[in-house]
Amino acid sequence: MRELLNQTIPNLSKEACDKFVAYYDLLIDWNTRMNLTAITEPADVVKKHFYDSLAALPYLRDGAKVADVGTGAGFPAIPLLIMNPTLKITLVDSLQKRITFLEEVLKTLGLSAECVHARAEDFGRDPDVRGRFDATVSRAVASLPVLLELTVPLLTVGGKAYCYKGDVSEELVTARNALHLLHATCETVPVEADYGARTLVICTKNAPTPSIYPRKAGMPSKKPL
Ligand code: SAM
């Protein structure tokens, strides 16, 4: 495991390597009792979960306030936090069991982050958090038009939503209306990967989000913008 980690993740400290090993052990153990991931082989976890999660790392400044919307078993937030513990991360997921798992991960790894059990639609309408994040990160949560409605309201003006995607060409076309309505623009950055097409879609919030977004829970996916 350590060898795989050191081969795959550049500039990995001994401390970060220990944390990834502990995270892997917890993931595999808890996965026997709840559905966390279909990917369990060490080489696959290192590449397709840990390394893949780090695509946004170079873009996040020290101390940035970041929300991982639909974090599941902690991807991409936990690997980002292992590599940069100065990040102020909020982990959001609608499944309580996954939040319980993440609290255990944070405790075991000695990392600090906030865990929130909520639908992103409700979280994004909470005045205490709406418009307060420098960045959001999200992987394998929803199509781009849906994801933008869940994430852009959380950002400060000028903040960025980092959407981890595969081949994104069709989604970029269907996201045009959402970008317009949410006052956002986006660019794509190809991610180096030997396990399929990976793209980081970086969306910038250019003006405050109209108060009607996000719509009530379920609506963004039922009727994407
Ligand atoms: N981001 C993780 C990853 O890359 O492995 C998890 C991906 S999993 C396919 C999608 C996760 O998003 C699930 O844990 C689900 O509970 C969460 N999710 C989906 N829709 C959500 C919503 N509207 N609000 C909060 N969490 C949501």
Side-chain angles (χ1 to χ4, degrees):
M1 190 64 184
R2 283 172 194 284
E3 207 177 313
L4 282 168
L5 283 159
N6 281 306
Q7 279 166 2
T8 312
I9 301 175
N11 307 319
L12 190 64
S13 69
K14 157 101 175 50
E15 196 188 348
C17 188
D18 290 346
K19 289 190 185 341
F20 276 117
V21 172
Y23 186 23
Y24 176 78
D25 290 344
L26 282 170
L27 189 66
I28 298 306
D29 179 25
W30 283 59
N31 204 40
T32 60
R33 301 189 290 283
M34 67 171 72
N35 181 15
L36 288 172
T37 178
I39 296 170
T40 54
E41 284 302 310
D44 288 338
V45 172
V46 168
K47 204 184 268 190
K48 298 177 186 171
H49 279 328
F50 295 169
Y51 168 81
D52 192 71
S53 290
L54 298 175
L57 185 67
Y59 300 97
L60 300 172
R61 63 163 175 80
D62 284 356
K65 192 167 159 51
V66 182
D68 183 350
V69 177
T71 186
F75 304 115
I78 299 288
L80 290 169
L81 191 58
I82 290 174
M83 294 301 283
N84 186 351
T86 73
L87 295 173
K88 295 188 175 53
I89 295 193
T90 302
L91 303 151
V92 184
D93 203 277
S94 55
L95 271 190
Q96 177 59 54
K97 280 198 281 186
R98 295 191 175 137
I99 294 295
T100 305
F101 167 72
L102 291 168
E103 284 166 347
E104 180 67 21
V105 169
L106 291 167
K107 198 171 87 185
T108 306
L109 272 56
L111 291 171
S112 173
E114 191 183 2
C115 297
V116 177
H117 171 225
R119 293 279 306 223
E121 294 91 326
D122 301 326
F123 189 67
R125 282 202 301 272
D126 179 344
D128 288 342
V129 295
R130 184 183 173 91
R132 303 279 174 99
F133 289 90
D134 300 311
T136 62
V137 290
S138 308
R139 196 185 76 147
V141 176
S143 67
L144 200 51
V146 177
L147 194 54
L148 290 170
E149 186 173 355
L150 300 181
T151 55
V152 171
L154 293 169
L155 297 168
T156 57
V157 172
K160 293 184 191 289
Y162 296 91
C163 309
Y164 289 59
K165 291 286 178 183
D167 178 1
V168 81
S169 38
E170 271 181 35
E171 277 181 65
L172 284 174
V173 177
T174 56
R176 276 187 201 149
N177 192 44
L179 287 165
H180 172 69
L181 293 173
L182 297 163
H183 307 312
T185 44
C186 75
E187 58 180 305
T188 58
V189 179
V191 176
E192 202 181 310
D194 62 5
Y195 48 91
R198 299 297 294 149
T199 310
L200 195 61
V201 181
I202 307 177
C203 302
T204 306
K205 175 166 168 172
N206 299 313
T209 308
S211 58
I212 52 168
Y213 305 120
R215 290 166 291 165
K216 69 174 187 194
M219 277 303 279
S221 53
K222 198 168 162 197
K223 289 198 172 173
L225 295 175

